Amino acid sequence: GAGVSQSPSNKVTEKGKDVELRCDPISGHTALYWYRQRLGQGLEFLIYFQGNSAPDKSGLPSDRFSAERTGESVSTLTIQRTQQEDSAVYLCASSRYSGTPYNEQFFGPGTRLTVL
Amino acid sequence: KNEVEQSPQNLTAQEGEFITINCSYSVGISALHWLQQHPGGGIVSLFMLSSGKKKHGRLIATINIQEKHSSLHITASHPRDSAVYICAVRHGGAQKLVFGQGTRLTINP
């Protein structure tokens, strides 16, 4: 079956523009996660969805960042008024929600965002 | 100090060598994950563990809850094992992962 897909794979934008990044999780996976990886740095958690609600959005770095999920499927991460420090690879992952910490996360290929 | 510390940051070895990557964490956890990030950027989950030891092929992961420490071992290493290996932890019932900085492993033929 298909894995987690993300689009676009690469996005170059100018400072101040808004961008939307898309994630299509594995079918049937109710949990969805967004992470960020800046160049040369480790992964950072951004937000977690269970179904269409986001019980943990503690990692969103500012109010310029928002995310939504519809139909317990596709999710969109929106960054408004992009800044150069937003340049990073944005990774999406999904998992079956089992109510325990032991559910494996499956990662997408990521979207590389470059803000000029 | 990061909550999750990995060592070494970089490791270069010859094909066939036994590899050990270490992960220490400062706060009690409910689960620990080892991930592999390929040079192209793709991330694959290798192990999830909360106690003891797990083995998959040439990979072995161990965890000592009392010492807040985990190790990832690779036996008979091969150049295709070259990747960044990432340790990540979960706390309590939280779903989010807290990541270490990763260990870049290079296996030379």
Side-chain angles (χ1 to χ4, degrees), chain B residues 1-6 22-34 49-51 62-71 87-91 98 100:
Chain B
K1 188 180 190 300
N2 290 332
E3 182 181 335
V4 181
E5 293 276 351
Q6 288 185 235
N22 296 298
C23 175
S24 297
Y25 50 92
S26 55
V27 181
I29 63 168
S30 52
L32 183 142
H33 296 241
W34 281 102
L49 62 168
S50 58
S51 65
T62 64
I63 188 167
N64 185 317
I65 296 296
Q66 287 73 31
E67 295 187 2
K68 296 187 174 63
H69 181 269
S70 175
S71 293
C87 172
V89 302
R90 275 200 172 114
H91 301 293
V98 178

Side-chain angles (χ1 to χ4, degrees), chain A residues 39-98:
Chain A
L39 185 64
Q41 298 190 22
L43 285 149
E44 305 171 77
F45 167 80
L46 297 177
I47 186 169
Y48 154 63
F49 285 91
Q50 178 55 39
N52 292 335
S53 63
D56 189 348
K57 50 181 81 171
S58 61
L60 294 178
S62 75
D63 59 8
R64 296 186 296 104
F65 287 71
S66 63
E68 64 175 17
R69 189 179 184 195
T70 56
E72 296 198 354
S73 180
V74 63
S75 176
T76 303
L77 177 69
T78 301
I79 309 173
Q80 295 178 310
R81 305 180 303 281
T82 52
Q83 303 294 312
Q84 288 181 333
E85 64 261 27
D86 299 335
S87 296
V89 175
Y90 289 83
L91 289 150
C92 175
S94 71
S95 69
R96 290 192 184 92
Y97 178 61
S98 64

Side-chain angles (χ1 to χ4, degrees), chain B residues 1-48:
Chain B
K1 188 180 190 300
N2 290 332
E3 182 181 335
V4 181
E5 293 276 351
Q6 288 185 235
S7 63
Q9 288 188 335
N10 292 280
L11 177 58
T12 299
Q14 291 299 120
E15 183 173 357
E17 288 189 36
F18 181 82
I19 302 299
T20 296
I21 299 171
N22 296 298
C23 175
S24 297
Y25 50 92
S26 55
V27 181
I29 63 168
S30 52
L32 183 142
H33 296 241
W34 281 102
L35 309 169
Q36 180 191 53
Q37 186 169 30
H38 296 287
I43 295 176
V44 175
S45 177
L46 298 175
F47 294 104
M48 290 181 290

Side-chain angles (χ1 to χ4, degrees), chain A residues 33 37 48 58 101-102 105, chain B residues 30 37 48 90 95-96 99:
Chain A
Y33 313 79
Q37 187 172 33
Y48 154 63
S58 61
Y102 312 117
Q105 293 187 21
Chain B
S30 52
Q37 186 169 30
M48 290 181 290
R90 275 200 172 114
Q95 291 294 314
K96 72 178 186 184
F99 298 88

